[in-house]
Amino acid sequence: MKITPELVEHVALLSRLELTEEQKAQFSRELSKIFEYVEQLGEVDVSGVEPTAHPLPQKNKFRPDEVVPGLANETALANAPETEDVYFKVPQVL
Amino acid sequence: MELEPVIGFEVHAELKTRAKVWCGCSTAFGAPPNTNVCPVCMGLPGALPVLNEGAYRLALRTALALHCDIPPVTTFDRKNYYYPDLPKNYQISQNDKFLGKGGYLEINLGEAGVKQVGIDNIHLEEDAGKNIHPEGTAVDYSLLDLNRAGMPLLEIVTKPDIRSRHEAHVFMNSMRSFLKYLDVSDCKMEEGSLRFELNMSLRPKGSEEFGTKVEVKNLNSISVVLKCIDAELERQGAVLAEGGAIIQETRLWDDVEAVTRAMRTKETATDYRYFPDPDLVDFEVKEEVKQEILATLPELPVARCRRFEEQYGLSAYDAGLLTAQRQTADYFEDAVRLHNNPKGVANWIMAEALRWLNERSGGEEGEELTIEHFPVPAPAIAELLRLLDEGTITGKIAKQLFPMMIDTGKTPSVLVEEKGLKPLDDSALDPIVEEVIANMPKVADDVRNGKAKAIGALVGAVMKKTQGKANPATLTPLIKSKLGVE
Ligand SMILES: [Zn+2]
């Protein structure tokens, strides 16, 4: 599959990444190669095989509906780039 | 050309669990900001979600009560988008192997009968955090509280089966009532625990084809949804009348101008790139769990309303009012069990209890008071009706007793004793009747001369003198005998 510079641009927008024209060309080349490599899997006949989300045989893994104390506010905010009072501070949301 | 709306809803209800859906953080409303948080719901690297069984069971309970098909295996997917209130940059949701498919909610349209609104699917996901916008012109940032992030959220997607504003109104009230009967959500719209998103298009009445629909977000109450339907009827109607075409898009409700606005295309560039969440295993729906849940489903509002009409001989309107909230219906049946006068009990509940509650509730969107807040318990209402039906008290006295019962919490029998409110017997009434006749000779003569209606004035005078303690049923014959008329 050919990953065009336009597709790179679209995915970059969805991921909120700003790329230069040069990077778009570069990622288009490199991602195309990766996709071609992975496409070899298409040679396997998988008709009649149910899609799997993960290889684990485990099913129905639950936790009980019980409250476990969370983090203290200072701890929760400790790694945030910006905070104000007891909040995370983020770019303006409309 | 007459146009009709075609409406569907996406209903979001926060499930009533103690802990969040993927972690053990508390779901309590109103906790200090950013205190019900942990590495899982803050989306810190390496943290792994594990499904809360309580949330899963409440979701399954709702799906079963909506008559959904329950596929044998359900799985969770990542819905990818960037927004500050979504710390992982994806929401764990369900894209195709939903918890429930098909099914319907019954809504009672009164004289138009009961309508089934189809369910497309029902799935379990997580709520996002809350953005706070500080006041001030120089402010160029937002603040974020992640307490709500990871709360269990049930999404119920209906089919486009609703055909009018009225049906939409009944549907929203019915859905809220249904979820509360099931006891799966608090449904407090003012706290955001129940939200409706609208899908709406117009088409010529009688047409089978669907028009182009728009989706509207930011509708935070039932009355706002109704205003939005009015606004879209007008906007889409105007576009179509000019021969224009509706654009399929997501629009935002602007409450100040009471119109919807298109979102900028950048915001609607939705490409969620769903894929199975590798952090979560598959869930096989066990038959015994299904049976266990089915055995505990309560009688639902529409069925209960129908039974109230048949069993108690109530009008459809009265039965609808009494069954709108489970607590009111329980209260009614508790009282009727103690004193078998369903119509009397129904009238007292509707005229006195519901009125009292309405006067104190914050309206449709405010805090919803239930009959549990009403200070007079069901046995006291039953006793009041029994005293009335046995003739121990008059209707007038019963009306006087009611506020006293509310204020003092005492039972009607105790109050009747304390305040001396028993009706006077004939020997006590005799002198009072004679006095009234003596004071009103002209009226007395009118009655003697065959003006039967005039007797009302004498009855009224006796009532006034006895402060309502004369029983009208025995009083009229007593006056007549004193006047020597039949
Ligand atoms: Zn958490």
Side-chain angles (χ1 to χ4, degrees):
Chain A
M1 183 179 177
K2 176 103 178 92
I3 307 293
T4 62
E6 290 71 39
L7 188 52
V8 171
E9 203 171 323
H10 176 64
V11 174
L13 171 70
L14 293 174
S15 305
R16 302 296 181 265
L17 296 174
E18 209 173 343
L19 302 181
T20 62
E21 288 307 314
E22 215 167 277
Q23 284 171 317
K24 284 178 203 165
Q26 181 196 343
F27 290 137
S28 153
R29 268 194 321 273
E30 292 176 358
L31 286 170
S32 294
K33 276 193 184 149
I34 294 170
F35 267 77
E36 277 159 28
Y37 176 67
V38 173
E39 268 170 2
Q40 291 178 43
L41 288 170
E43 291 163 20
V44 184
D45 179 12
V46 291
S47 51
V49 179
E50 274 288 298
T52 3
H54 50 74
L56 299 177
Q58 203 177 28
K59 283 186 165 61
N60 295 32
K61 182 71 190 149
F62 291 112
R63 64 185 302 135
D65 182 20
E66 282 164 13
V67 173
V68 179
L71 300 174
N73 181 261
E74 313 77 72
T75 318
L77 300 184
N79 290 328
E82 274 193 280
T83 62
E84 183 174 296
D85 190 16
V86 292
Y87 297 102
F88 296 92
K89 194 171 169 184
V90 296
Q92 192 161 38
V93 180
L94 294 176
Chain B
M1 179 172 60
E2 200 189 341
L3 295 169
E4 74 171 359
V6 173
I7 296 171
F9 283 103
E10 286 169 23
V11 184
H12 284 98
E14 271 178 6
L15 294 172
K16 223 170 141 178
T17 53
R18 288 184 282 271
K20 292 186 180 180
V21 62
W22 312 117
C23 61
C25 290
S26 166
T27 57
F29 182 79
N34 294 306
T35 54
N36 289 339
V37 290
C38 75
V40 174
C41 56
M42 292 201 307
L44 299 188
L48 289 173
V50 181
L51 178 57
N52 177 340
E53 186 163 20
Y56 169 80
R57 283 187 174 235
L58 291 180
L60 197 54
R61 179 176 168 83
T62 313
L64 286 166
L66 286 170
H67 316 275
C68 293
D69 286 332
I70 311 293
V73 177
T74 193
T75 62
F76 291 90
D77 301 283
R78 293 186 180 182
K79 178 178 179 179
N80 300 278
Y81 65 94
Y82 277 70
Y83 210 70
D85 62 10
L86 188 74
K88 293 194 294 291
N89 295 335
Y90 60 85
Q91 179 194 33
I92 303 176
S93 181
Q94 301 193 277
N95 187 38
D96 50 7
K97 291 186 176 169
F98 301 118
L99 205 92
K101 285 165 90 169
Y104 58 87
L105 177 73
E106 284 191 318
I107 66 170
N108 193 339
L109 294 169
E111 287 187 357
V114 170
K115 173 169 180 157
Q116 292 185 351
V117 175
I119 305 297
D120 182 82
N121 77 77
I122 174 166
H123 60 270
L124 182 56
E125 57 188 29
E126 59 183 329
D127 210 343
K130 204 173 142 197
N131 295 305
I132 292 125
H133 311 292
E135 301 275 330
T137 44
V139 173
D140 61 350
Y141 59 90
S142 296
L143 299 176
L144 187 58
D145 174 9
L146 293 180
N147 281 350
R148 203 178 63 182
M151 297 263 261
L153 199 61
L154 192 68
E155 179 167 345
I156 302 167
V157 182
T158 78
K159 294 194 169 137
D161 285 350
I162 293 162
R163 292 289 173 272
S164 69
R165 178 191 199 274
H166 175 64
E167 284 186 14
H169 194 186
V170 176
F171 169 80
M172 288 186 283
N173 282 333
S174 304
M175 180 56 84
R176 181 164 66 166
S177 174
F178 164 81
L179 293 169
K180 293 185 83 159
Y181 260 71
L182 267 187
D183 206 22
V184 295
S185 172
D186 284 333
C187 296
K188 289 187 176 156
M189 298 196 70
E190 70 282 7
E191 292 178 7
S193 65
L194 178 66
R195 278 123 58 190
F196 293 98
E197 274 171 20
L198 178 73
N199 286 307
M200 180 167 157
S201 62
L202 294 183
R203 68 177 177 191
K205 211 173 174 138
S207 164
E208 289 295 313
E209 275 166 50
F210 290 132
T212 307
K213 68 169 181 184
V214 299
E215 191 182 330
V216 190
K217 292 180 187 287
N218 196 31
L219 302 167
N220 49 26
S221 72
I222 288 178
S223 62
V224 165
V225 176
L226 295 175
K227 272 192 236 165
C228 176
I229 291 173
D230 291 338
E232 278 299 292
L233 275 171
E234 205 176 304
R235 185 188 70 86
Q236 294 186 24
V239 171
L240 295 173
E242 285 173 7
I246 303 295
I247 302 162
Q248 178 154 2
E249 61 186 352
T250 302
R251 299 175 71 88
L252 274 187
W253 174 249
D254 175 342
D255 206 34
V256 179
E257 303 284 321
V259 292
T260 65
R261 296 190 190 288
M263 289 170 77
R264 283 174 298 161
T265 46
K266 213 174 167 184
E267 292 167 283
T268 56
T270 47
D271 177 351
Y272 293 125
R273 294 152 294 147
Y274 281 100
F275 63 88
D277 191 323
D279 289 344
L280 288 157
V281 298
D282 290 0
F283 292 86
E284 249 167 27
V285 184
K286 295 217 168 71
E287 188 57 31
E288 64 264 29
V289 174
K290 255 164 63 178
Q291 292 308 325
E292 207 182 300
I293 292 171
L294 279 170
T296 63
L297 289 185
E299 185 182 26
L300 294 168
V302 171
R304 199 166 192 185
C305 179
R306 228 180 259 141
R307 179 167 67 77
F308 274 27
E309 285 178 54
E310 284 160 17
Q311 183 177 342
Y312 300 118
L314 300 177
S315 71
Y317 180 80
D318 292 356
L321 265 187
L322 291 173
T323 52
Q325 288 185 332
R326 179 155 84 169
Q327 295 91 332
T328 316
D330 290 346
Y331 184 99
F332 168 79
E333 294 209 279
D334 286 346
V336 170
R337 250 189 299 280
L338 293 168
H339 180 67
N340 188 18
N341 178 355
K343 282 186 184 160
V345 170
N347 286 336
W348 276 88
I349 292 177
M350 291 183 295
E352 302 297 336
L354 296 184
R355 183 179 55 80
W356 188 93
L357 290 167
N358 279 340
E359 283 168 2
R360 280 155 188 81
S361 296
E364 193 176 327
E365 322 307 341
E367 193 204 354
E368 198 188 14
L369 291 180
T370 68
I371 203 145
E372 286 161 333
H373 296 92
F374 187 56
V376 178
I381 287 250
E383 189 180 311
L384 185 72
L385 263 290
R386 185 171 51 76
L387 294 176
L388 188 61
D389 290 346
E390 285 169 354
T392 309
I393 56 171
T394 63
K396 198 166 171 184
I397 294 293
K399 281 234 186 304
Q400 288 176 22
L401 274 175
F402 215 73
M404 293 185 219
M405 288 160 66
I406 292 173
D407 291 342
T408 64
K410 291 179 178 168
T411 67
S413 308
V414 167
L415 286 168
V416 165
E417 281 302 323
E418 271 184 18
K419 310 269 172 186
L421 293 173
K422 273 199 180 146
L424 300 171
D425 57 22
D426 281 4
S427 64
L429 272 180
D430 243 34
I432 299 169
V433 170
E434 277 166 19
E435 193 192 328
V436 164
I437 290 173
N439 288 341
M440 302 171 78
K442 168 105 190 14
V443 182
D445 278 343
D446 285 349
V447 180
R448 286 196 193 94
N449 295 334
K451 230 176 126 185
K453 269 192 195 159
I455 202 165
L458 297 171
V459 171
V462 174
M463 279 297 186
K464 199 169 168 197
K465 251 191 146 46
T466 59
Q467 291 168 316
K469 284 188 281 181
N471 190 342
T474 56
L475 178 58
T476 308
L478 179 66
I479 297 175
K480 279 184 178 166
S481 79
K482 291 277 175 200
L483 295 173
V485 297
E486 278 304 304

